[in-house]
Every structure is written in structure tokens, then in C-alpha cells.
Amino acid sequence: MFEVRSYMLDISRDKVPTMGTLKLIVDLLAKFDYNQFQLYTEHTFAYSAHRAVWEKASPLTAAEIRALDAYCAMQGIELVPNQNSFGHLERWLARPAYNGLAELPQGGAPLPWGGFRKDPTTLCPTDPASLDFLAGLYDELLPNFDSRLFNIGCDETFDLLGEGRSAAAVKAKGEGRVYLEFLKKVADLARARGRRPMFWGDVVLRHPELVPELPKDLIALDWGYEANHPFMKEAEQFRNAGLDFYVCPGTSSWNSLAGRVENMRENMMAAEQAGRRFGAKGFMVTDWGDGGHWQPLAASLPGLILGGSLACQGAPANKMNLEEALDSVMGVPLGGTLLRLGTLYLRGGAMRANASELFRILANDRGYSRHPGLTDHVLAEISSIAEGCRHAASQYASGAFPNVWAQEIVHMANLVDAACNRRDERRLRFLRAEHDQVWLLRNRPGGMQDSRDKLPRF
């Protein structure tokens, strides 16, 4: 059993759950033996001096955080503050009032997987004003949590390329050194407020010679979301550096429409094995909202259940009957239907990292070319299976007391069907209307339009 069994939910890529939904998630975490909960935050806390950044996002307030913190404590769960503090700040830095804090104010940083990030995403690490800005956020956010831990984020600093405001420092010291120096300063801000900092380990792992220089009180978060992620190699590096660390697989629900169940299973098993071998302090299941957070909570449920069981029981959890566990949680016999939808991404052999081809078809990413394995025949076959799943769930999704899980499964089936029939105007019109209906079953209205606008138009 891992000492820390954590679940992290993204509440910044459009979808902010209602308090009722957050309490439901806490209940599920307690049921499956988690003892830590984090809400990944970029701009969705109601900072008093920054209303323009969050006013359309339906953010969590200080009072709500305190209430959730108390509810978690009653369930034996630690609510850990989480505020990204270096990269992924485009919701701030794209605004004129904050653009002066950006490393690359004009935006346009190239992305590792191709394309460019339109808006600036990364604080300038050589500007003292960046630390002043973060200190102000921390002074307002942290007092609402009892936890002495704090996730400062600091992942995917795409703009730190040597072409921005820190170009001279990057040229003289190297990108890794500039990153590490700023990370240490941000960690100092957390310590000064009585918190032990944790951070995402991706950037420093690209500069393995710097890993031994990390302060020993930092908790490294070793994340990766594919079945073949090199957790063994990375966990060994953090162990050898004398750091506490968590292994952090994912639910594989984002950018998928209906989940990538087998990838999720293999990804979590790899993380559990590496974490156990190299003495990881924690096992964190991450649940992201990339691409508009189209997937409903039901798509993440298999990963939440299996992740908690793996973190608590280890390898024997691989033998659990996930379908029965899903039926028990949902209160309707739809576990098999949910898992069937979550394996449709495997059809046609169209595999890609961090997404399903069905999602890419529906999102119609610029430059996307349909995988040759997804022939018209294969898409028709997937559409037919999705129709069967929709029919199975529909009987529980209506009536006087409709089951919300069933309503979400119907929507997942419709997302898959729309991807298979993307030129069908009727389907797309219905999908956009259903998107809002299903969204509001568990979530606040802020971000809903941004998410819907990422769906194809007719």
C-alpha cells in the first residue's frame, strides 16, 4: 500500500464541478481508499484582486474551499492546494494586465507534439515581479487549506526557449538551470507560508544532471499517461536523488470521448510497479480536461476505481471485477456498457498518444488526417456499437428519476457516434445542445461555452 493515495482533478480546462459533485467525488475517493485530493487550478479560484481573470469561469470561492476541506477531513482525506505557478498560465498572461509577466509576451511557442501555442503560457523566471505575483496568490489561497502540502505545478514551461525575456540567462546558464533556479524560489514562497512544496517532474527530468540538485524537501510528481511510459527509469532517478516522489498515471479519459480503458489499465500498472520497486511515497491518479473537457465524469470512473484499488492493494487489484464495481457505484447495470465504450478507441488499429483518433476526428484538429485504419466500414461498425451502448443506457437515463451516470453514458455514445458521422449536420446540432444539458448535471456554467465552441459547427 502506498502511504499517499491521491486523486487530482483538473478544474481549469473549462469544467468546474458543483459542490455537490465535488462531495460525490470525495465520497468515491473514501470508498476506494484514497487519502488525498487535489484540484488542479490555473485561474479558477476567486482571487479577490483578479476578478477579470475568473469572472466567467464559475470559480471556487474561499468559503467553498474551506467547506470542502472540512468535508474531506470527515472522510479521512487531505485536500491539498494546487496552483500552477510557472507554465500553463495562459488564462492570465494573455490579458494585457498580466502580459508583462510573461516570458514570451507575444506567444507563439512551438509545442513538442507539433504546432504552436497562440498565447503566452509561462511566467518570466528572471523578473522579480513574477514572484511578487505568486506571493499574492498564495497569501489568499493557502489559508483556506489545513494541509501543510502545496502543489506548485511548474510543468510544461513551453515558452522557456531562449527566445524570450530570459534569453540572456538561458544562453549563459541553459534552460534547465534557469528553470531550476526559479523552481527553488517558488518553493521558498511555499515554505515561507508553512507548506511543503511538490512539483511536476517533467522539465527537470529532461536535465537529469540537475535532479541531484533539487532541494530534498521537495516532493517530485513523476507523471506520464501512456502504457509504455518509462516510470521505472524516472522513479529510479528521483529515488537516487533522495527525494520523496509520487508516481502519477492518469484516467486516460481526456481527449478520448469515451475513455481509453486498456491504456489506462496498463499505464496504472506500470506506475504501480515502478513506484513499489523504487519506494514511491505516493500514487496519484490524474484526471485532466484537455480539449474542452468534453468527457463526463463517467468516462473517468473506471480509472478512479482501478487507481484506488492499485494504490491500496497493489498487483492483486488487477484481478478485480471492474464491471461489478462500476455497477455498484452507478446503481445501474451499465458497467459493461461503459467499459465497451472505453475500448472503441482500439478499433482499426488507430493508436496515438494522449488521445483517441475518434476525438481527433470530432475535434478536426488543424492538419489532422484520418488514420488509414479508420475506414468507412470500421467507422460504421463503431457507430453501430455506440448505438447499442446508447440503447442500453437510455432505459435508465429518462423517467421520473433519471440516473445521471446513465445520462452521461448516453452522451458518451453520442460523442462517439458524431465522430463516426462527422458530416451529419443533424447529429452535430443535437450534440451541441446535449453538451450543455449533460454539462449542467454536475458542473457550473462557467467554461461551458468555451468547451462547446470546441465542438464542430455545422
Side-chain angles (χ1 to χ4, degrees):
M1 177 186 292
F2 288 88
E3 178 182 338
V4 178
R5 303 173 300 282
S6 181
Y7 182 79
M8 190 226 72
L9 177 66
D10 184 351
I11 63 165
S12 290
R13 259 66 79 83
D14 294 323
K15 186 174 285 183
V16 182
T18 63
M19 283 295 288
T21 300
L22 290 170
K23 289 180 178 180
L24 167 65
I25 292 171
V26 172
D27 293 343
L28 289 173
L29 298 184
K31 178 179 177 67
F32 292 101
D33 295 308
Y34 289 86
N35 57 14
Q36 188 187 99
F37 187 26
Q38 296 189 25
L39 298 172
Y40 170 78
T41 305
E42 294 172 0
H43 69 296
T44 49
F45 176 76
Y47 291 107
S48 59
H50 305 288
R51 184 180 185 89
V53 175
W54 53 257
E55 62 183 347
K56 295 181 180 180
S58 300
L60 291 176
T61 66
E64 287 175 323
I65 288 291
R66 291 193 294 271
L68 184 63
D69 190 81
Y71 190 80
C72 285
M74 288 191 297
Q75 300 274 34
I77 293 172
E78 180 180 13
L79 184 66
V80 173
N82 181 319
Q83 169 63 62
N84 217 334
S85 305
F86 199 171
H88 283 292
L89 293 177
E90 53 267 33
R91 301 274 191 166
W92 298 82
L93 300 178
R95 294 177 173 273
Y98 306 94
N99 186 249
L101 296 171
E103 169 66 14
L104 202 65
Q106 72 276 21
L111 298 171
W113 50 85
F116 296 86
R117 181 73 74 181
K118 174 186 174 184
D119 294 321
T121 70
T122 305
L123 287 174
C124 176
T126 56
D127 185 345
S130 294
L131 292 171
D132 293 339
F133 165 70
L134 293 174
L137 299 187
Y138 297 175
D139 285 340
E140 187 168 357
L141 175 69
L142 295 178
N144 300 295
F145 297 81
D146 282 340
S147 174
R148 296 296 96 187
L149 300 174
F150 178 27
N151 188 343
I152 59 175
C154 299
D155 63 318
E156 295 190 327
T157 49
F158 298 129
D159 301 2
L160 197 59
L161 307 168
E163 299 178 3
R165 295 171 59 208
S166 301
V170 171
K171 182 177 180 181
K173 304 176 183 179
E175 177 238 355
R177 176 70 58 189
V178 172
Y179 172 89
L180 180 59
E181 289 178 354
F182 188 70
L183 175 69
K184 289 179 176 179
K185 292 175 182 177
V186 178
D188 285 341
L189 293 179
R191 291 188 198 94
R193 289 155 180 79
R195 313 291 164 143
R196 183 181 181 186
M198 56 178 65
F199 75 105
W200 300 112
D202 56 304
V203 179
V204 76
L205 283 169
R206 289 194 285 104
H207 305 276
E209 72 282 1
L210 298 178
V211 173
E213 297 184 34
L214 290 164
K216 302 310 178 193
D217 67 329
L218 286 179
I219 299 173
L221 303 174
D222 182 16
W223 63 269
Y225 307 130
E226 297 308 309
N228 62 352
H229 186 78
F231 281 114
M232 285 289 184
K233 177 183 177 181
E234 295 174 355
E236 185 176 20
Q237 286 180 266
F238 288 129
R239 191 277 309 272
N240 290 346
L243 292 167
D244 284 341
F245 68 96
Y246 298 1
V247 286
C248 307
T251 61
S252 295
S253 59
W254 62 94
N255 288 350
S256 74
L257 305 184
R260 296 188 296 146
V261 169
E262 293 309 312
N263 181 79
M264 175 273 292
R265 189 188 300 273
E266 293 178 28
N267 175 234
M268 289 191 176
M269 288 168 55
E272 188 275 333
Q273 291 166 9
R276 180 162 36 86
R277 178 172 177 179
F278 293 106
K281 186 179 183 69
F283 184 99
M284 176 189 285
V285 174
T286 61
D287 194 0
W288 296 102
D290 302 43
H293 214 146
W294 289 347
Q295 79 278 6
L297 184 61
S300 299
L301 192 55
L304 185 155
I305 292 173
L306 183 60
S309 299
L310 278 169
C312 187
Q313 302 169 25
N318 295 328
K319 299 178 181 179
M320 75 178 298
N321 189 320
L322 190 52
E323 180 176 339
E324 287 185 359
L326 288 164
D327 288 348
S328 175
V329 166
M330 295 188 295
V332 288
L334 291 175
T337 301
L338 181 57
L339 294 174
R340 195 170 303 119
L341 280 170
T343 58
L344 290 179
Y345 76 101
L346 295 169
R347 300 263 169 167
M351 304 292 289
R352 68 161 63 231
N354 205 42
S356 72
E357 288 289 333
L358 293 169
F359 173 86
R360 294 300 181 200
I361 291 174
L362 191 60
N364 195 30
D365 286 359
R366 184 180 301 174
Y368 170 76
S369 179
R370 194 171 93 188
H371 189 281
L374 285 176
T375 62
D376 289 347
H377 175 76
V378 169
L379 288 176
E381 181 183 64
I382 294 172
S383 178
S384 177
I385 296 171
E387 168 59 30
C389 292
R390 176 172 55 238
H391 178 75
S394 292
Q395 59 185 308
Y396 304 104
S398 58
F401 302 101
N403 181 282
V404 176
W405 297 109
Q407 291 175 288
E408 291 181 335
I409 292 172
V410 168
H411 182 57
M412 289 162 61
N414 287 334
L415 283 165
V416 170
D417 184 55
C420 296
N421 299 275
R422 197 181 183 284
R423 295 184 180 87
D424 188 319
E425 179 178 321
R426 179 188 61 82
R427 281 181 168 90
L428 295 180
R429 286 183 181 276
F430 178 82
L431 187 69
R432 292 175 66 84
E434 186 185 60
H435 169 277
D436 289 8
Q437 296 167 10
V438 174
W439 183 286
L440 293 172
L441 293 174
R442 299 199 197 270
N443 306 290
R444 304 169 192 225
M448 183 173 70
Q449 181 175 335
D450 283 349
S451 175
R452 186 196 331 115
D453 286 348
K454 293 180 176 69
L455 286 167
R457 295 184 177 275
F458 29 83

